[in-house]
Amino acid sequence: MYKVIIVDDEKLLRQGFIHMTDWSVNGFEIVGDASNGIEALELVERYQPDIVVTDIRMPGMDGIELTRILKQRYKDIQVIVLSSYNDFEYVKETLQLGALDYILKPTMQYTDLVNAMEKAKSNKQHQELAKDTQSEQRKKSLLGFFRSLLCEPNQSDEAILDQISAFSLPLQPGLMRLIWIQLELPETDSASEASQEGELTNTIVNELQAMLQQHQNGCCFAVSPLQLIVIMNTSEDTYRDQIAPVLASYDVQYWLCVSEPFSEFSDIPAVHQRQLALSPYRFYINSGSVINEAELTELKTSLDLPFKNFNDYIDKQDFLGLYKQVQHIITDSIQNRHYIDPYAIRNGFIEVCYYIIHRLDEMGLEIDELHKRKITFFKLIENTGNVADCLQVLEHILSEIETSLKDSRNGNYNPTVKSIIHFIQQHYSEDISLQSIALHFHLNKSYLSQLFKLQTGETLNNYLINLRIDEAKALLRKSNSNIYTVCQAIGYSNPSYFGQVFKKVVGMKPSEYSKLYNK
């Protein structure tokens, strides 16, 4: 609805205007009426209208002065002037001040008013569209500036500072830190994954930027759907107190890679390149942790495994012994601060699986089932997010190889999945997730996710979301329910995030769904 205020010293005319028609049918709402410009300004301040219809001749403050003030203070308000035949010079003045149109009171018809109001509405819509376009253009320009900060090393600090000033960014010369943030969402179906990533990233960027704006000490932007950059004026570790609470309020895992303090804007590209090189090594730390360059004393590009020593283990089908030997190599390297490239570890573990299957083939064993599953094994390893997961996945794969060789599989529905489904149905109202369920059942979360989807046809997270939303719908159909209570009852602590999930699944907001059943 477009809000309208009527200003005229004749009360009868104001009432006639208000009751002339059902203005809401045409998209208008009369929010107030005033007898002069002074009263009108009070109403404008209170209601922030889109359109003001005003007489020219009024006591106290006339329509000319009112138009002048409105166009100085509220440029977007559309002004329509009511005049008599002998007011034409005054009409010209109001038009020069920015009034949109005028109507002659002696000959005023209903259609004249409607046409003028429609013209004002159309002009308002064009203004809003222009603002949206300008806002979108500003976003693109700002993102271009941020990317140039990261990637163009030859810019002068003076030129960068001019851009910072032009965009009104709360970032000052002096000591700064560059903070690289990697997000990881709960596993979801691929059809909605990109959309979910983009929406959540935008929400987090906006909240971080609002926080930085409040503290007047930095800016935040996304360089990809799950990677954010924060540049902050700080030489201390206060960044953690400001950023971590924002990230912790969302259902995401996150890692921070924080630079040492630097003082020149032109240093940013080099700092960013160092962080890019270090970012894969989040493989060695838990979610919510900081990647510390000083701790990564030696980076190794390859994983050296003694494949010939594995033959005895394979021949004896002692896959637990083989796993312990691989585990010792990895843990020993970490204890000595010799951090192996995560890609090399994953690739090395895939080679271990391939080598075992190849060796079993040479031994003449029937391993058709293993050949069918080896691609799944490889993908499970490739999808691991950290070294602990990678080791646990390898352990499970070797256990499955041993089970397959003993021919102990009976083809029944996996009892583990049955137990997991029962657990979810009993605990969906609690703060559970793929990670917590995996911990409860002592399983690697990537392995659990893959197993659950193979058995049920959907991801564990989608199963949990759908179960929660079904329960939310049932609660919302009750007249005494409210959004916050429902949110808490189904295991969501953030009402805003619950609203986003509900709308994505159901197609409408929780409040809209509730109104369907509680009119």
Side-chain angles (χ1 to χ4, degrees):
M1 290 288 181
Y2 288 85
K3 295 182 289 186
V4 183
I5 288 176
I6 312 302
V7 190
D8 196 292
D9 59 342
E10 297 181 35
K11 184 175 182 179
L12 190 60
L13 186 142
R14 299 198 307 269
Q15 291 301 310
F17 190 107
I18 292 169
H19 300 293
M20 181 179 292
T21 185
D22 182 0
W23 290 106
S24 64
V25 173
N26 295 311
F28 301 106
E29 178 188 5
I30 311 298
V31 295
D33 63 287
S35 62
N36 59 55
I38 297 172
E39 293 179 5
L41 286 176
E42 292 177 359
L43 293 176
V44 168
E45 182 67 27
R46 187 186 311 167
Y47 294 111
Q48 299 293 308
D50 302 295
I51 303 168
V52 172
V53 180
T54 179
D55 191 13
I56 286 185
R57 294 178 182 270
M58 296 179 295
M61 180 188 291
D62 62 19
I64 297 173
E65 184 62 20
L66 175 60
T67 301
R68 178 182 292 109
I69 293 173
L70 288 176
K71 285 303 175 181
Q72 285 175 348
R73 298 181 187 174
Y74 313 96
K75 293 184 177 7
D76 293 339
I77 291 179
Q78 308 299 301
V79 179
I80 298 171
V81 175
L82 304 176
S83 72
S84 301
Y85 286 120
N86 57 354
D87 290 338
F88 189 66
E89 289 301 318
Y90 299 130
V91 171
K92 284 173 58 179
E93 188 171 352
T94 60
L95 293 175
Q96 289 170 352
L97 289 170
L100 177 69
D101 204 351
Y102 72 96
I103 301 173
L104 290 171
K105 291 171 69 174
T107 61
M108 182 170 60
Q109 300 292 322
Y110 166 71
T111 53
D112 297 329
L113 279 172
V114 172
N115 289 338
M117 297 276 277
E118 288 293 339
K119 181 179 178 180
K121 181 168 72 172
S122 177
N123 202 51
K124 187 73 176 176
Q125 288 170 341
H126 284 124
Q127 285 182 341
E128 291 168 350
L129 181 60
K131 278 187 176 180
D132 289 343
T133 302
Q134 290 173 358
S135 175
E136 193 61 34
Q137 288 174 343
R138 185 183 187 278
K139 285 181 183 177
K140 289 180 179 178
S141 298
L142 187 57
L143 185 56
F145 167 61
F146 285 142
R147 286 175 174 166
S148 72
L149 265 182
L150 299 179
C151 304
E152 296 180 16
N154 297 323
Q155 297 185 84
S156 68
D157 274 31
E158 293 78 9
I160 294 172
L161 196 55
D162 286 344
Q163 289 276 64
I164 289 172
S165 176
F167 285 113
S168 301
L169 299 175
L171 188 61
Q172 306 298 325
L175 287 177
M176 294 170 273
R177 287 182 187 265
L178 197 153
I179 302 165
W180 174 90
I181 305 171
Q182 175 71 46
L183 305 176
E184 182 179 308
L185 299 184
E187 187 172 337
T188 183
D189 287 339
S190 58
S192 61
E193 186 172 357
S195 173
Q196 185 181 3
E197 288 176 0
E199 289 175 11
L200 184 59
T201 299
N202 287 337
T203 301
I204 293 175
V205 166
N206 291 338
E207 191 167 341
L208 285 173
Q209 187 57 55
M211 177 270 296
L212 293 165
Q213 191 77 38
Q214 180 183 355
H215 289 87
Q216 288 291 297
N217 69 337
C219 56
C220 175
F221 56 97
V223 291
S224 73
L226 293 177
Q227 293 182 351
L228 316 181
I229 295 290
V230 172
I231 304 174
M232 289 181 68
N233 286 117
T234 178
S235 60
E236 306 299 328
D237 290 341
T238 53
Y239 64 84
R240 193 191 290 266
D241 297 332
Q242 291 179 247
I243 293 174
V246 174
L247 298 175
S249 67
Y250 292 90
D251 186 18
V252 295
Q253 292 188 305
Y254 67 90
W255 293 263
L256 307 180
C257 184
V258 183
S259 75
E260 292 299 308
F262 59 95
S263 57
E264 305 292 334
F265 290 115
S266 53
D267 292 335
I268 290 176
V271 172
H272 179 55
Q273 287 301 313
R274 291 201 301 272
Q275 287 182 313
L276 283 178
L278 293 177
S279 63
Y281 290 87
R282 68 182 185 278
F283 185 74
Y284 289 99
I285 62 175
N286 296 323
S287 172
S289 300
V290 176
I291 298 172
N292 189 333
E293 184 175 4
E295 292 182 359
L296 302 179
T297 56
E298 183 178 336
L299 306 181
K300 299 176 65 176
T301 59
S302 62
L303 172 62
D304 299 321
L305 293 171
F307 285 98
K308 289 184 178 180
N309 294 348
F310 295 162
N311 290 343
D312 284 344
Y313 294 106
I314 298 171
D315 293 346
K316 297 174 183 177
Q317 297 186 19
D318 180 11
F319 296 104
L320 177 60
L322 191 156
Y323 167 75
K324 287 183 176 179
Q325 186 171 7
V326 174
Q327 181 189 43
H328 175 74
I329 293 170
I330 300 299
T331 55
D332 185 63
S333 178
I334 294 172
Q335 287 171 0
N336 289 297
R337 297 183 182 272
H338 299 161
Y339 294 99
I340 303 163
D341 186 320
Y343 172 80
I345 289 183
R346 295 188 186 100
N347 193 55
F349 284 11
I350 289 172
E351 288 181 359
V352 168
C353 296
Y354 187 84
Y355 184 83
I356 291 171
I357 293 173
H358 176 71
R359 178 73 177 177
L360 293 173
D361 258 337
E362 288 184 333
M363 294 166 63
L365 299 177
E366 293 291 335
I367 56 169
D368 289 346
E369 185 64 29
L370 291 180
H371 279 296
K372 291 176 183 177
R373 300 204 61 200
K374 65 182 178 184
I375 300 301
T376 300
F377 294 158
F378 299 163
K379 286 182 178 179
L380 285 171
I381 294 170
E382 288 173 350
N383 292 332
T384 54
N386 58 64
V387 67
D389 284 354
C390 203
L391 283 166
Q392 193 173 33
V393 165
L394 179 64
E395 183 178 16
H396 275 281
I397 290 172
L398 297 185
S399 176
E400 287 204 24
I401 291 174
E402 184 173 350
T403 301
S404 178
L405 290 174
K406 291 177 180 178
D407 197 26
S408 61
R409 299 174 66 94
N410 57 18
N412 293 333
Y413 191 79
N414 193 308
T416 301
V417 174
K418 287 183 181 179
S419 299
I420 291 167
I421 290 174
H422 179 72
F423 178 86
I424 293 172
Q425 291 171 343
Q426 295 297 313
H427 299 278
Y428 71 88
S429 62
E430 301 169 12
D431 183 18
I432 61 171
S433 63
L434 174 63
Q435 177 71 21
S436 64
I437 294 170
L439 288 173
H440 180 83
F441 286 90
H442 306 292
L443 293 171
N444 167 267
K445 68 172 186 176
S446 297
Y447 177 80
L448 168 58
S449 177
Q450 183 76 23
L451 178 65
F452 191 94
K453 189 165 186 179
L454 285 172
Q455 293 280 315
T456 67
E458 67 177 324
T459 66
L460 186 148
N461 276 297
N462 268 15
Y463 180 87
L464 176 59
I465 287 170
N466 288 328
L467 181 64
R468 283 173 165 170
I469 296 304
D470 284 344
E471 181 61 22
K473 287 160 67 177
L475 293 172
L476 289 168
R477 289 195 289 268
K478 298 177 181 178
S479 60
N480 62 344
S481 62
N482 64 69
I483 306 302
Y484 182 78
T485 302
V486 171
C487 173
Q488 296 293 317
I490 64 168
Y492 287 109
S493 59
N494 187 323
S496 175
Y497 181 68
F498 162 66
Q500 293 176 22
V501 175
F502 189 98
K503 185 173 182 181
K504 184 179 291 293
V505 174
V506 181
M508 63 182 72
K509 296 177 181 178
S511 57
E512 294 171 341
Y513 184 87
S514 180
K515 287 178 182 177
L516 293 176
Y517 296 91
N518 300 287
K519 295 182 179 179

